[in-house]
Amino acid sequence: MFNTVEELIKSLTETFGPSGEEETVRTMIANLVRDRADRVFEDALGNLYAVKESNRPRIMISAHMDEIGVMVTNIDENGFLRIAPLGGVNPIMLLGQRIRFKNGLTGTVYHEKFKELKELDWSKLYADIGQRDAAAAENNVKIGDSACLAQPFNNLPGGRCLAKAMDDRVGCAVLIETLRRLPERLPQEVCFVFSIQEELGLRGAKTAAYSYEPDFGIAVDVTLVGDTPKAPTMAVSLGQGPAIKVKDSSILCHPRVRQLMVETAENNNISHQLEVLERGGTDAGAIHLSREGVPSGAISIPCRYVHSPSEMIDLKDVLNAVELMVKLLTKEWPFSEESNVF
Ligand code: CO
Ligand code: ZN
């Protein structure tokens, strides 16, 4: 167990888990939630579920375990690797960065000669793991192996933190901490899903929502901010509270779910903001389109430099998100089994 949410985030973000390689993260989370839920299990694709059983409605809350990364596509005779993105990775972000494979092997990413920055695409990038030839390289990595970024967690004065994979281990931390603080018995059933392969297109949440058959869905993920120098205009800032999502490119959040979140925050004096994200999606996008439709919303942790090796969050936003989740799940949601019109 971890003494603070900060220690939990440090441990989660420093763990290896690019899309498709969520196993280490999944094992860690399963051990943390096992005693807090009535049922903890995995499905065939690798989603992890922790259910607190109760009456309907069933609420599915999803945070993704995977992080962006790269995959080895080729190994040349001099032992250099070619790589392709796993998820939305900008090649510029990788220059001079360390990457780390599951077996602990570390390498750096560099570029061939180019004249103008706009020529810098994946074909110009290679990874160097310090091996003299193909045979030596192949002793350490294989084609199809994945690597994540290799940055440590750092705590900054004033309560902000930097890490790789804040997207979305900070969401996983919110779910774990919420589960720890919830009372024994809830007025409705809640299923926490730690999903796979979100970065490749909300894949795990899609099958998880199909199998769990929730009446409502909530995603907890990071969102972009507009509070850095000459950032694109966006009314979300670090430290101003969790953002209650209105829309992103995967979902228009159900107005009643959003309203329930806003009311809960207001009634409990929890600082919050509203989020309109013009690009990007979350697990809620997959959940709300499953089966006959699931009214869904999302709570987002404001995050600077999303999909870079140094994603920054404010711990206050994380604690307020936990507070909001606990209040939201302990109150009785309006629901009738006869009619799913919410
Ligand atoms: Co992401
Ligand atoms: Zn995410």
Side-chain angles (χ1 to χ4, degrees):
M1 257 309 165
F2 295 91
N3 294 321
T4 62
V5 176
E6 190 184 316
E7 280 177 28
L8 175 62
I9 298 171
K10 171 178 164 59
S11 186
L12 285 165
T13 54
E14 289 183 343
T15 300
F16 174 89
S19 307
E21 297 266 13
E22 296 90 353
E23 188 184 343
T24 318
V25 182
R26 181 170 54 243
T27 305
M28 180 184 165
I29 296 175
N31 288 332
L32 290 169
V33 300
R34 190 157 286 124
D35 297 339
R36 302 297 310 171
D38 299 306
R39 281 187 292 140
V40 175
F41 58 98
E42 288 168 27
D43 68 17
L45 293 189
N47 292 300
L48 175 70
Y49 304 69
V51 184
K52 277 183 79 71
E53 289 170 352
S54 189
N55 310 317
R56 281 181 81 184
R58 290 187 289 266
I59 308 176
M60 169 174 164
I61 304 180
S62 186
H64 65 92
M65 294 185 286
D66 62 313
E67 67 189 285
I68 55 160
V70 295
M71 182 180 275
V72 177
T73 59
N74 189 69
I75 300 173
D76 77 15
E77 68 268 26
N78 297 315
F80 293 103
L81 317 178
R82 293 293 165 158
I83 50 176
L86 275 172
V89 186
N90 184 339
I92 290 175
M93 294 292 178
L94 292 179
L95 296 185
Q97 289 292 333
R98 309 269 168 95
I99 56 172
R100 193 175 82 227
F101 291 86
K102 192 172 190 175
N103 62 8
L105 176 78
T106 301
T108 186
V109 178
Y110 216 70
H111 58 84
E112 297 174 358
K113 190 163 107 183
F114 63 88
K115 282 209 183 75
E116 285 182 82
L117 200 55
K118 66 171 189 283
E119 293 170 34
L120 181 66
D121 61 15
W122 288 92
S123 71
K124 291 263 188 298
L125 285 191
Y126 61 87
D128 188 344
I129 53 168
Q131 302 306 301
R132 287 184 177 80
D133 54 34
E138 279 161 9
N139 273 336
N140 293 282
V141 292
K142 300 272 176 288
I143 287 173
D145 281 359
S146 304
C148 66
L149 295 159
Q151 287 279 6
F153 173 94
N154 288 127
N155 209 330
L156 309 175
R160 291 174 173 180
C161 311
L162 276 174
K164 60 112 173 143
M166 284 293 186
D167 176 12
D168 184 26
R169 305 286 159 70
V170 73
C172 296
V174 169
L175 267 57
I176 295 165
E177 184 62 15
T178 299
L179 198 47
R180 205 176 64 79
R181 292 195 198 176
L182 283 175
E184 187 68 37
R185 177 94 187 150
L186 294 175
Q188 57 265 318
E189 184 162 298
V190 178
C191 176
F192 294 84
V193 174
F194 300 89
S195 65
I196 55 149
Q197 297 180 31
E198 187 270 355
E199 298 293 355
L200 303 183
L202 325 177
R203 295 178 186 173
K206 186 173 180 179
T207 58
Y210 185 87
S211 80
Y212 179 65
E213 298 186 50
D215 299 300
F216 299 105
I218 298 174
V220 180
D221 207 334
V222 298
T223 190
L224 305 180
V225 290
D227 66 349
T228 52
K230 296 192 181 167
T233 303
M234 183 169 172
V236 175
S237 307
L238 227 57
Q240 301 300 306
I244 295 170
K245 191 185 290 288
V246 178
K247 73 150 277 194
D248 60 29
S249 27
S250 70
I251 185 172
L252 278 169
C253 292
H254 195 289
R256 299 285 304 278
V257 174
R258 194 221 309 174
Q259 194 48 37
L260 213 55
M261 290 174 174
V262 171
E263 272 168 26
T264 307
E266 281 172 356
N267 295 342
N268 294 283
N269 288 317
I270 302 168
S271 63
H272 60 285
Q273 32 193 344
L274 288 175
E275 170 202 352
V276 177
L277 181 63
E278 294 183 56
R279 278 179 47 233
T282 60
D283 280 350
I287 301 169
H288 87 294
L289 293 180
S290 70
R291 295 187 177 268
E292 61 277 359
V294 180
S296 300
I299 292 174
S300 305
I301 306 300
C303 184
R304 289 181 183 164
Y305 323 122
V306 173
H307 288 194
S308 85
S310 302
E311 299 178 330
M312 187 188 291
I313 55 105
D314 191 315
L315 280 172
K316 279 203 306 290
D317 294 332
V318 180
L319 296 174
N320 280 318
V322 171
E323 177 82 8
L324 177 56
M325 289 296 291
V326 169
K327 291 287 195 279
L328 194 59
L329 299 177
T330 45
K331 81 176 184 188
E332 196 171 334
W333 284 43
F335 177 73
S336 134
E337 282 200 40
E338 292 77 59
S339 143
N340 61 1
V341 179
F342 175 52

